Amino acid sequence: MTDVSAEDFKMGMRQLAAAVNVISVMADGSPHGMLATAVCSVCAAPPTLLICVNQSASMHRAIRERGHFGVSVLAEHQFETAHHFMSKVASERFTTCDWDTLATGAPALAGALVNFDCEVESEVNVGTHTIYFGRVVALRRAENGPPLLYHDGNYAALGQTPLPGMAAKQC
């Protein structure tokens, strides 16, 4: 059996369309956040989700130290917010979007389809990443609307081909 190269794996994973999310935490008196597609439900009782964070990312340390995190599921109309999070340095990511907090104090983006506020229940290290399991302690749902998706290096709308001008920057 031949090993799958990291590059082939990455190219294959680009075909997995996923919701665009902001993972956030309040640390050192400031909001910190990153874009992520690696968010998944685990179970409904108790309400639990998971996120995957690269161990070299500053968010990794912040989540581990604080013991909580937020997940804001972006709506299609929040493309500019996603672009801002990709193009700005960490200290500037929350400067042009409205946000508040729920139970844990983790930042929750206004206008998101849903904000999950989570306490870390456990974590598992796998290769370069840590999988954080978060028990959802609070959530806020907005009106139903189309999610912002990421597929094959582009932002896309549900049920549509990628929209003009919505190309994502390569990480």
Side-chain angles (χ1 to χ4, degrees), residues 65-87:
E65 289 176 359
R66 300 299 296 165
H68 67 259
F69 59 88
V71 175
S72 296
V73 180
L74 298 186
E76 180 183 290
H77 68 84
Q78 291 179 301
F79 161 75
E80 290 298 329
T81 299
H83 182 71
H84 187 78
F85 268 76
M86 284 293 292
S87 62

Side-chain angles (χ1 to χ4, degrees), residues 60-124:
H60 185 269
R61 180 186 59 83
I63 292 169
R64 181 168 279 164
E65 289 176 359
R66 300 299 296 165
H68 67 259
F69 59 88
V71 175
S72 296
V73 180
L74 298 186
E76 180 183 290
H77 68 84
Q78 291 179 301
F79 161 75
E80 290 298 329
T81 299
H83 182 71
H84 187 78
F85 268 76
M86 284 293 292
S87 62
K88 297 296 180 185
V89 295
S91 62
E92 297 176 6
R93 292 180 181 161
F94 285 87
T95 59
T96 62
C97 58
D98 293 329
W99 60 275
D100 57 6
T101 61
L102 300 179
T104 69
L109 292 180
L113 294 178
V114 63
N115 302 106
F116 295 99
D117 196 11
C118 303
E119 292 179 350
V120 174
E121 285 286 314
S122 62
E123 62 184 71
V124 176

Side-chain angles (χ1 to χ4, degrees), residues 22-162:
V22 170
I23 298 174
S24 58
V25 65
M26 185 68 78
D28 303 322
S30 299
H32 296 266
M34 61 179 261
L35 283 182
T37 56
V39 175
C40 183
S41 65
V42 175
C43 62
T48 305
L49 57 77
L50 67 79
I51 60 172
C52 300
V53 180
N54 192 310
Q55 293 167 7
S56 67
S58 60
M59 285 292 293
H60 185 269
R61 180 186 59 83
I63 292 169
R64 181 168 279 164
E65 289 176 359
R66 300 299 296 165
H68 67 259
F69 59 88
V71 175
S72 296
V73 180
L74 298 186
E76 180 183 290
H77 68 84
Q78 291 179 301
F79 161 75
E80 290 298 329
T81 299
H83 182 71
H84 187 78
F85 268 76
M86 284 293 292
S87 62
K88 297 296 180 185
V89 295
S91 62
E92 297 176 6
R93 292 180 181 161
F94 285 87
T95 59
T96 62
C97 58
D98 293 329
W99 60 275
D100 57 6
T101 61
L102 300 179
T104 69
L109 292 180
L113 294 178
V114 63
N115 302 106
F116 295 99
D117 196 11
C118 303
E119 292 179 350
V120 174
E121 285 286 314
S122 62
E123 62 184 71
V124 176
N125 293 323
V126 179
T128 58
H129 285 66
T130 297
I131 303 167
Y132 287 103
F133 294 88
R135 183 174 50 86
V136 179
V137 296
L139 70 85
R140 176 176 58 209
R141 293 184 350 197
E143 296 289 321
N144 284 341
L148 181 62
L149 300 177
Y150 184 78
H151 174 258
D152 199 21
N154 292 298
Y155 292 115
L158 186 63
Q160 300 176 13
T161 56

